[in-house]
Amino acid sequence: KGSSMSLYRYVAPKSTPAKPAGEWNQVEIACRGPHIKITLNGEVVQDVDQSQIDEIKGKPLRGYLSLQNHGK
């Protein structure tokens, strides 16, 4: 729940196909209503309905998207 492409602290990704340091990653994020879909390097890593997950069903459906990096 704290790795790349997780819904941080709440939902772990299905996989983590991140490229090694020094290589570029491509991320596509789609948020439509309660549906969240995240694709990393061509692989779907999140495909969830927010309204069906207890930890995030009360979260707003509008607002800001934040990306975080723990390295250099």
Side-chain angles (χ1 to χ4, degrees), residues 8-43:
Y8 210 71
R9 294 188 331 231
Y10 301 109
V11 183
K14 296 176 183 181
S15 63
T16 52
K19 294 182 180 181
E23 293 187 36
W24 286 94
N25 290 286
Q26 182 177 356
V27 178
E28 182 178 324
I29 301 171
C31 301
R32 292 183 179 91
H35 185 230
I36 302 168
K37 184 176 181 180
I38 303 173
T39 304
L40 175 61
N41 297 323
E43 187 174 328

Side-chain angles (χ1 to χ4, degrees), residues 39-59:
T39 304
L40 175 61
N41 297 323
E43 187 174 328
V44 176
V45 295
Q46 294 280 4
D47 193 0
V48 299
D49 181 338
Q50 177 179 332
S51 66
Q52 301 301 307
I53 300 172
D54 288 337
E55 294 90 344
I56 62 172
K57 67 181 175 184
K59 299 285 183 186

